Amino acid sequence: MSTQPAASNQLLDYVTSCALPTPWAQFTLHAFVEHGTGKEHLAMVLGEIGDGEPVLARVHSECLTGDVLFSQRCDCGAQLEGALQRIAEEGRGVLLYLRQEGRGIGLLNKIRAYRLQEAGADTVEANLQLGFHADARNYELCKPMLAQFGVRSLRLMTNNPRKIDALTRLGIEVAERVPLLVNRNAFNNSYLDTKQAKLGHMMTPAAEASAGPGLP
């Protein structure tokens, strides 16, 4: 697996790597810096992933409130932990951690959006009221980050068809979608239902989830 700076990459530079022990496995943490913005992005790698076979992967956008502060308003922190656990169980995989907080609108604007949600807006409406797209994330950095490790094909852990489409347009093969349905709770039911209804995420609405298997 290469740990040398990628050649002729116009989007970001590879910086360095280190060992990162976690509750699930010891990963290798790789650091990148994005040109223009100076944002730092990360890749957590386990095992040999540059052998040409599809790689179990998660493309995870930063969510400080969920990933670090344990917020139950979203499923982000649980998705991060679930993805790392699945990679550890398989003994091979990669997680890209992209610094695009709040679906790309930034931390402070995400908190402003939370305030609008408390006044009755859903997550899509709140972003639009602030003058942003419903989802302003960009995945173009994924291609050079994955190329650093010789990865061309993914078994992608996601519920988001737009993410699959974005990666596919970049020339990254998504050989399989692996569902990542975690942590539906009383605080994020509306959030998850909005992702399903307005953003097309592949998940079960709360009413159906609460009905249980085999029920309407």
Side-chain angles (χ1 to χ4, degrees):
M1 180 174 61
S2 171
T3 56
Q4 298 301 313
S8 64
N9 177 11
Q10 301 301 310
L11 296 177
L12 79 175
D13 289 327
Y14 178 86
V15 180
T16 191
S17 66
C18 68
L20 186 71
T22 75
W24 309 283
Q26 178 164 296
F27 290 79
T28 301
L29 181 66
H30 299 268
F32 299 80
V33 61
E34 183 180 354
H35 296 170
T37 67
K39 287 185 178 180
E40 299 140 340
H41 305 277
L42 303 170
M44 295 178 65
V45 174
L46 184 66
E48 175 52 58
I49 62 173
D51 57 6
E53 294 297 317
V55 176
L56 183 63
R58 168 76 179 162
V59 175
H60 190 89
S61 297
E62 178 181 34
C63 175
L64 185 139
T65 49
D67 298 343
V68 179
L69 301 180
F70 315 109
S71 171
Q72 298 298 291
R73 298 182 68 138
C74 63
D75 56 347
C76 303
Q79 285 189 318
L80 177 61
E81 292 191 18
L84 292 174
Q85 182 174 353
R86 290 189 190 185
I87 291 171
E89 290 170 352
E90 187 150 317
R92 175 179 179 270
V94 58
L95 184 142
L96 302 185
Y97 196 88
L98 305 182
R99 307 296 297 278
Q100 44 184 0
E101 176 76 51
R103 294 183 186 155
I105 69 174
L107 178 60
L108 295 183
N109 283 320
K110 182 172 82 169
I111 295 172
R112 292 185 178 103
Y114 278 174
R115 186 67 175 175
L116 292 173
Q117 291 164 36
E118 291 170 358
D122 64 33
T123 54
V124 168
E125 292 166 348
N127 276 26
L128 295 176
Q129 287 178 29
L130 290 172
F132 298 105
H133 293 294
D135 189 340
R137 289 176 292 181
N138 188 307
Y139 298 101
E140 65 179 351
L141 298 179
C142 294
K143 187 168 186 177
M145 290 176 75
L146 293 171
Q148 180 71 25
F149 312 110
V151 173
R152 297 181 179 84
S153 179
L154 306 179
R155 296 169 49 227
L156 187 66
M157 290 181 278
T158 187
N159 308 316
N160 184 356
R162 297 185 182 194
K163 186 181 295 184
I164 296 172
D165 291 344
L167 296 178
T168 300
R169 288 195 300 270
L170 289 168
I172 301 167
E173 179 187 15
V174 179
E176 178 187 357
R177 182 185 79 87
V178 179
L180 193 58
L181 300 168
V182 290
N183 194 37
R184 180 180 281 275
N185 63 70
F187 298 101
N188 68 19
N189 267 330
S190 177
Y191 163 85
L192 295 177
D193 285 351
T194 298
K195 288 209 295 188
Q196 188 271 335
K198 293 191 173 182
L199 298 175
H201 286 221
M202 293 173 277
M203 54 180 58
T204 304
E208 296 179 24
S210 63
L215 296 176

